[in-house]
Amino acid sequence: EPSDAVGRIRAAYLDTKEYVGRAAPSAVGKIWRYKTHAAGLALASKRLGVPVVTRYNGDTFREYEYYSGRRRLAVFGLDHLVGRLPLRLADRTIVFGPYAEGQLRERGVKSERLVRIPPPANADPRFRQPPDRRAVRRKLDIPETGPLFLFVGRLSGQNGMPFFRDVIEQTLSEIDAIFF
């Protein structure tokens, strides 16, 4: 939420500063709330001379596209201005797959500062694209064409459900989609 981003960055900064002063870690890392927590953590860590590792966890730089008006502008600013701080300050950034790696390389992050975690070599076949999508849709009694939305996870605020709900509502008002 753009309106409380400054407060989250400040809290992450102060918490990191306090933790580093108390625990004297060899390095610090962030795995949650990239745009705000990573920014605060990276600012404090760099100021205190502690290496920092962040995890880039999504399509952050396109999130603004799902909003309109002032909110769209605020989310764009948060994504593209504040969201770049960790990219510039982190000693390493963990990414999941080539798409995320490409996004960060486009934004000037050098390859040697990126750690890409590839998908497992022997991934469960349930998570591979089926050879015949229409047959799968027929089996599930879903129309053979048209967009689908799928969310796998816990329905919680921590997983971004308020944002997901906004995106779904906006998208469903614009297209004829199936949601289950």
Side-chain angles (χ1 to χ4, degrees):
E1 185 70 33
S3 61
D4 64 348
V6 172
R8 287 183 183 171
I9 293 168
R10 184 175 188 276
Y13 177 86
L14 293 173
D15 289 347
T16 302
K17 192 173 163 186
E18 185 274 328
Y19 172 75
V20 168
R22 178 177 38 82
S26 301
V28 294
K30 188 284 334 158
I31 59 168
W32 191 53
R33 290 199 177 171
Y34 174 78
K35 291 177 284 195
T36 54
H37 288 69
L41 179 124
L43 286 166
S45 298
K46 282 301 178 182
R47 183 162 193 229
L48 298 169
V50 177
V52 62
V53 176
T54 60
R55 176 181 66 116
Y56 177 74
N57 52 324
D59 206 4
T60 295
F61 298 106
R62 295 188 56 185
E63 211 171 86
Y64 74 95
E65 294 174 0
Y66 300 104
Y67 294 97
S68 60
R70 288 184 180 174
R71 187 171 177 99
R72 181 180 180 120
L73 184 60
V75 171
F76 182 87
L78 182 60
D79 294 348
H80 289 268
L81 301 176
V82 177
R84 288 182 186 244
L85 276 174
L87 299 181
R88 299 205 189 302
L89 298 175
D91 295 281
R92 296 284 187 278
T93 299
I94 298 169
V95 296
F96 296 100
Y99 177 74
E101 181 180 23
Q103 280 194 315
L104 299 190
R105 290 186 66 201
E106 285 176 16
R107 283 159 180 83
V109 180
K110 299 202 180 304
S111 294
E112 60 268 11
R113 291 182 44 224
L114 295 173
V115 178
R116 182 170 84 183
I117 298 176
N122 297 322
D124 188 319
R126 292 177 297 168
F127 302 109
R128 291 196 181 122
Q129 186 172 340
D132 184 356
R133 289 182 180 186
R134 290 177 188 244
V136 172
R137 284 179 174 232
R138 281 191 301 273
K139 182 177 178 181
L140 296 172
D141 197 28
I142 299 170
E144 291 184 25
T145 60
L148 295 173
F149 291 94
L150 171 67
F151 175 82
V152 178
R154 202 167 26 103
L155 300 176
S156 71
Q158 292 174 331
N159 281 346
M161 288 315 296
F163 172 74
F164 187 64
R165 185 176 26 254
D166 290 348
V167 170
I168 294 298
E169 287 174 6
Q170 181 180 353
T171 304
L172 288 176
S173 68
E174 296 172 4
I175 62 171
D176 182 24
I178 302 156
F179 184 67
F180 64 95

